[in-house]
Amino acid sequence: LMRIGVLASGRGSNLQALIEAWKLGELNGELVAVGSDHEEALALKRAEEAGIPHGAFPLSRFSSRQEQEKAILTWLREQKVEILVLAGFMRVLSKEFLQDIQIPVLNIHPSLLPSFQGLHAQRQALDYGVKISGCTVHFVDEGLDSGPIIAQEAVPVLPGDTEDSLSARILEAEHRLYPEAVGWVAGGRIKRNGRIVVKL
Ligand code: GAR
């Protein structure tokens, strides 16, 4: 089984979906580390309850972002993490971190990329007036939400939607899509040809 690490900044509902899939044996891997840049993140409590080793790496404890990332990387290596999954991790990882880590890094984003990159993707979709949005699981590269796409799920934008109602509808899709896509990667069931990712 592949050893999967997760980084999460907050609520951790995607982490919870991964934990549930893991417990059902649906992940082709095991969750072995949960790290956060916020000591108070609910994600850390969820890890604790699931018996997963977890660590807090708040910036305040380090002299720089570089030192913070180094500590995270060292810890992930100690836990022998083979796939890194970002689940609501609200910091952009540096080019150096991504070059050094040498394992696949996945992210989930609450829009159909390449539309609405960056923060407040659901707000951006509402403001633009699109009628369909959704979520995207992708490999992380050095850009902002720009890496090769592994999976997407569309959801409708409905008349009267607010940022909260659209976010909730997208989040339901996230909770289905992320465990499935992580399972494909952990199970070696995808092939990558440059930016094109194909499920085998
Ligand atoms: C999710 O909607 C995720 O797609 C989004 O943050 C939320 C985290 O929720 N991520 C981003 O916007 C990344 N740019 P969670 O903590 O409950 O999983």
Side-chain angles (χ1 to χ4, degrees), residues 8-15 46 87-90 107-110 118-122 135 145 167 170-171 174-175:
S9 294
R11 180 178 57 185
S13 71
N14 277 290
L15 169 66
R46 297 183 194 267
F89 187 64
M90 301 313 271
N107 183 43
I108 190 157
H109 183 77
L119 291 175
H120 309 296
Q122 303 95 331
C135 55
D145 300 320
S167 297
I170 293 174
L171 198 63
E174 293 185 43
H175 296 163

Side-chain angles (χ1 to χ4, degrees), residues 143-196:
L144 178 66
D145 300 320
S146 65
I149 291 173
I150 301 167
Q152 295 185 299
E153 184 169 330
V155 308
V157 180
L158 300 177
D161 256 344
T162 61
E163 190 172 357
D164 281 352
S165 65
L166 178 59
S167 297
R169 193 174 308 116
I170 293 174
L171 198 63
E172 265 186 57
E174 293 185 43
H175 296 163
R176 278 191 296 274
L177 193 67
Y178 214 6
E180 192 177 23
V182 170
W184 296 348
V185 175
R189 288 171 55 204
I190 59 156
K191 202 175 86 183
R192 224 184 120 170
N193 179 7
R195 46 170 312 118
I196 307 305

Side-chain angles (χ1 to χ4, degrees), residues 1-198:
L1 286 182
M2 290 293 251
R3 295 175 63 81
I4 301 168
V6 177
L7 294 179
S9 294
R11 180 178 57 185
S13 71
N14 277 290
L15 169 66
Q16 193 65 45
L18 291 164
I19 290 171
E20 276 151 33
W22 170 44
K23 300 219 155 141
L24 292 170
E26 290 171 356
L27 217 51
N28 296 317
E30 46 185 343
L31 295 171
V32 297
V34 174
S36 182
D37 54 342
H38 286 107
E39 226 143 5
E40 305 302 320
L42 182 53
L44 291 175
K45 292 207 181 67
R46 297 183 194 267
E48 166 92 34
E49 274 170 29
I52 305 167
H54 49 91
F57 301 86
L59 186 56
S60 59
R61 214 187 284 162
F62 302 94
S63 55
S64 64
R65 289 201 178 276
Q66 202 184 358
E67 292 302 313
Q68 179 192 29
E69 281 193 341
K70 266 196 205 162
I72 293 173
L73 187 54
T74 300
W75 184 69
L76 293 173
R77 285 192 175 136
E78 282 166 7
Q79 308 300 317
K80 300 190 164 53
V81 168
E82 297 170 292
I83 298 176
L84 179 59
V85 172
L86 307 182
F89 187 64
M90 301 313 271
R91 288 235 315 104
V92 175
L93 294 165
S94 71
K95 185 173 149 190
E96 290 71 29
F97 181 96
L98 293 169
Q99 277 169 2
D100 287 351
I101 190 161
Q102 295 194 332
I103 59 172
V105 182
L106 278 63
N107 183 43
I108 190 157
H109 183 77
S111 75
L112 294 177
L113 290 173
S115 290
F116 314 129
Q117 297 160 336
L119 291 175
H120 309 296
Q122 303 95 331
R123 171 91 260 148
Q124 292 184 55
L126 281 176
D127 289 349
Y128 197 93
V130 294
K131 305 304 179 200
I132 297 173
S133 192
C135 55
T136 302
V137 178
H138 64 93
F139 286 112
V140 175
D141 67 8
E142 288 161 16
L144 178 66
D145 300 320
S146 65
I149 291 173
I150 301 167
Q152 295 185 299
E153 184 169 330
V155 308
V157 180
L158 300 177
D161 256 344
T162 61
E163 190 172 357
D164 281 352
S165 65
L166 178 59
S167 297
R169 193 174 308 116
I170 293 174
L171 198 63
E172 265 186 57
E174 293 185 43
H175 296 163
R176 278 191 296 274
L177 193 67
Y178 214 6
E180 192 177 23
V182 170
W184 296 348
V185 175
R189 288 171 55 204
I190 59 156
K191 202 175 86 183
R192 224 184 120 170
N193 179 7
R195 46 170 312 118
I196 307 305
V197 178
V198 181

